[in-house]
């Protein structure tokens, strides 16, 4: 049974009553009707969707980054089987996973399936974001602006091996998965898999990269962003790696604000042109934070707010959260986003291969997943956890969150909310 967690309000959402643009699109006088009000239009497009589902609609965004279903995995029964390729879908289970790999390939001793599907069953949508896929030295910043193909391929292989090893659905059948997106920027990589039976429901897939390192020149920091529509639900996932250092709060805020503002735009917040290239259309049609579900995952580099001469916090680990910079409200760029209650140990910094924190660095919850649901979307957070057993690869612990998403206006009694910190 899905457990509904309490969650933090990071900052209050914009005032009620303000004009609401179409989910996933910029506000304009010519904006079309909201997605959930277009059932009649969608019904008329059923035939076109069926014809184009094999490639045209998804391929229009990043043609070279769309793959066929995993080889050797037979499709099986699921709650989506035999549904028409239009109209409302049942509630979707979305799993979002994040891990800073510290420049290393995933160690053979780290069991990836425990992170991707700890209960042995994969979600309907699986989002995997990693940071520091490669070392962030000057050479990689210059040579691997689009990511490292070999490391990316190795990451995909480990993920797909884990998916193929799952015992299957409740009915005992293996479920096929389709990789709809895989791309990167220097050390950032973002992969998205969906159940193969959901492939015909996907449309309007768009990807983008936003560099924020070295004042927008370097791709060592910033974000890789993907948005698409699944059935009637528009979603956007942003994998970010923000500025490091205890005193870099303002810089982190600026980095995140830039990713949110510049993704999919033809003009940057600095006024410079962002021409479409490498499959990135950048037509200022979509806004990253305006979707039915918007999720930011990654290494936020949030630190503990401590006096300068305090090398290590006192008290229990749970009490350290009272000093977390994000929970203290120092991340104004996260206005309107929420986060589940943190009940896991700090995710940074560990001695690799050990569960012991490195005493030379102050521990922190650097690795986070935050989300925002809009336009009548109900989101239930069923899990928000770290995975300390995967300790042989990095000085960071991976984290994951599991959401159930459906279009429904919730009543006030359906939510258990914690006030802003």
């Amino acid at each position: 049974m899905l457990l509904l967690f309490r969650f933090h309000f990071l900052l209050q959402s914009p005032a009620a009553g303000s004009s609401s643009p179409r989910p996933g699109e910029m506000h304009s006088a010519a904006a079309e009707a909201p997605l959930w009000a277009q059932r009649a239009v969608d019904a008329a497009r059923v035939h076109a969707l069926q014809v184009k589902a094999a490639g045209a609609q998804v391929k229009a965004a990043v043609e070279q980054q769309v793959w066929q279903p995993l080889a050797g995995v037979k499709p099986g029964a699921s709650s989506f089987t035999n549904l028409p390729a239009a109209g409302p879908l049942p509630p979707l289970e979305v799993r979002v996973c994040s891990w800073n790999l510290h420049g290393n390939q995933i160690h053979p001793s780290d069991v990836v399936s425990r992170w991707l599907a700890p209960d042995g069953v994969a979600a309907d949508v699986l989002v995997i974001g990693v940071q520091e896929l490669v070392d962030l030295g000057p050479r990689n910043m210059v040579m691997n602006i689009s990511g490292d193909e070999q490391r990316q391929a190795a990451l995909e292989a480990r993920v797909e091996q884990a998916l193929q090893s799952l015992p299957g659905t409740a009915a005992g059948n293996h479920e096929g998965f389709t990789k709809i997106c895989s791309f990167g920027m220097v050390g950032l990589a973002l992969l998205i898999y969906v159940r193969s039976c959901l492939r015909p429901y996907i449309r309007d897939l768009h990807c983008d990269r936003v560099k924020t390192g070295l004042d927008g020149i370097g791709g060592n920091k910033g974000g890789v962003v993907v948005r698409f529509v699944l059935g009637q639900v528009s979603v956007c996932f942003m994998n970010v790696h923000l500025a490091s250092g205890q005193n870099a709060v303002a810089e982190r805020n600026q980095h995140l604000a830039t990713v949110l503002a510049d993704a999919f735009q033809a003009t940057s917040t600095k006024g410079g042109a962002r021409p479409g290239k490498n499959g990135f259309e950048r037509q200022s049609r979509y806004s990253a934070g305006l979707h039915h579900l918007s999720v930011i995952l990654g290494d936020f580099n949030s630190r503990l707010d401590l006096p300068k001469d305090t090398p290590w916090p006192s008290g229990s680990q749970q009490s350290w959260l009272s000093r977390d910079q994000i929970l203290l409200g120092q991340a104004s760029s996260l206005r309107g986003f929420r986060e589940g209650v943190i009940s896991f140990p700090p995710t940074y910094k560990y001695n690799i291969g050990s569960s012991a924190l490195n005493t030379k660095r102050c521990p922190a919850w650097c690795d986070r997943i935050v989300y925002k649901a809009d336009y009548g979307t109900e989101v239930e957070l069923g899990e928000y956890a770290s995975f300390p057993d995967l300790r042989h690869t990095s000085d960071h612990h991976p984290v994951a969150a599991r959401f159930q998403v459906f279009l429904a206006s919730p009543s006030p009694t359906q939510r258990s909310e914690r006030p802003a910190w």
Side-chain angles (χ1 to χ4, degrees):
M1 180 179 293
L2 188 64
L3 177 63
L4 178 60
F5 277 84
R6 293 178 296 172
F7 44 75
H8 303 302
F9 268 118
L10 297 184
L11 283 172
Q12 296 299 318
S13 302
S18 58
S19 59
S20 298
R22 176 179 174 176
E25 297 198 3
M26 300 296 291
H27 179 79
S28 70
E32 298 177 20
L35 289 172
W36 63 86
Q38 291 189 348
R39 293 185 180 179
V41 176
D42 286 343
R45 293 177 179 169
V46 169
H47 179 69
L49 287 173
Q50 290 173 332
V51 172
K52 295 181 180 180
Q57 293 204 357
V58 171
K59 155 174 147 178
V62 188
E63 193 165 346
Q64 71 275 22
Q65 295 163 359
V66 178
W67 284 265
Q68 297 300 314
L70 304 184
V73 182
K74 298 179 180 180
S78 79
S79 59
F80 299 100
T81 303
N82 299 323
L83 289 172
L89 290 171
L92 294 166
E93 184 167 285
V94 178
R95 186 172 184 85
V96 179
C97 304
S98 177
W99 196 1
N100 184 317
L101 296 177
H102 193 56
N104 300 319
Q105 295 194 59
I106 298 177
H107 194 278
S109 298
D110 286 335
V111 182
V112 175
S113 59
R114 294 180 184 173
W115 174 45
L116 303 180
D119 56 359
V121 179
D124 303 311
V125 179
L126 181 61
V127 180
I128 302 150
V130 302
Q131 309 82 43
E132 295 194 48
L133 180 68
V134 296
D135 176 73
L136 299 183
R139 183 180 182 278
N140 282 326
M141 286 177 60
V142 174
M143 301 298 294
N144 293 322
I145 185 61
S146 297
D148 186 291
E149 292 183 4
Q150 291 184 336
R151 288 290 181 91
Q152 187 96 4
L155 173 65
E156 292 168 6
R158 286 297 298 271
V159 168
E160 293 172 9
Q161 182 183 31
L163 289 177
Q164 291 171 350
S165 69
L166 296 179
T169 64
N173 297 314
H174 286 280
E175 180 68 61
F177 292 90
T178 297
K179 177 170 53 184
I180 65 167
C181 176
S182 176
F183 77 115
M185 177 180 73
V186 188
L188 287 167
L190 187 58
L191 290 71
I192 299 182
Y193 295 82
V194 301
R195 292 190 183 274
S196 296
C197 54
L198 292 177
R199 174 64 177 78
Y201 294 85
I202 295 174
R203 55 190 170 91
D204 297 335
L205 186 149
H206 294 268
C207 305
D208 202 0
R209 292 194 288 251
V210 180
K211 296 182 289 185
T212 63
L214 304 177
D215 199 26
I217 299 175
N220 61 318
K221 294 291 191 289
V224 288
V225 187
V226 175
R227 65 88 53 197
F228 56 93
V229 177
L230 178 52
Q232 292 180 305
V233 180
S234 63
V235 294
C236 183
F237 301 102
M238 296 160 267
N239 177 22
V240 301
H241 193 184
L242 307 181
S244 63
Q246 183 174 348
N247 299 319
V249 175
E251 190 176 1
R252 283 192 282 275
N253 259 318
Q254 185 56 54
H255 284 194
L256 187 53
T258 299
V259 173
L260 284 163
D262 285 2
F264 311 121
Q265 306 307 301
T267 305
S268 73
T269 51
K270 295 182 178 180
R274 302 185 72 245
K277 59 181 179 180
N278 300 322
F280 307 131
E281 295 187 358
R282 296 170 176 164
Q283 296 180 349
S284 297
R285 182 181 175 189
Y286 306 108
S287 178
L290 295 178
H291 289 75
H292 286 106
L293 174 66
S294 302
V295 180
I296 309 175
L297 60 142
D299 185 353
F300 288 68
N301 261 315
S302 179
R303 303 305 173 95
L304 300 183
D305 198 31
L306 295 168
K308 185 176 182 181
D309 58 347
T310 304
W312 195 265
S314 60
S316 66
Q317 287 189 357
Q318 195 66 24
S319 70
W320 298 351
L321 280 167
S322 64
R323 297 180 178 273
D324 177 78
Q325 291 171 340
I326 289 180
L327 298 183
L328 286 172
Q330 297 178 14
S332 58
S333 51
L334 288 176
R335 182 175 299 278
F337 284 85
R338 300 172 182 145
E339 181 180 25
V341 172
I342 297 173
S343 58
F344 47 86
T347 63
Y348 172 85
K349 171 181 172 75
Y350 291 87
N351 296 319
I352 297 178
S354 168
S355 58
L357 286 162
N358 187 325
T359 57
K360 294 182 179 179
R361 291 289 185 94
C362 185
W365 283 266
C366 292
D367 308 276
R368 313 286 273 267
I369 299 170
V370 302
Y371 69 101
K372 181 173 67 170
D374 281 322
Y375 307 99
T377 309
E378 174 72 354
V379 175
E380 292 183 353
L381 177 60
E383 178 187 359
Y384 188 33
S386 69
F387 297 83
D389 288 347
L390 280 69
R391 60 177 180 267
H392 301 282
T393 300
S394 173
D395 56 354
H396 289 250
H397 286 169
V399 297
R402 187 180 80 246
F403 304 99
Q404 191 171 56
V405 184
F406 52 94
L407 288 176
S409 298
S411 65
T413 58
Q414 288 179 300
R415 286 182 170 175
S416 176
E417 298 175 350
R418 177 174 290 182
W421 288 74

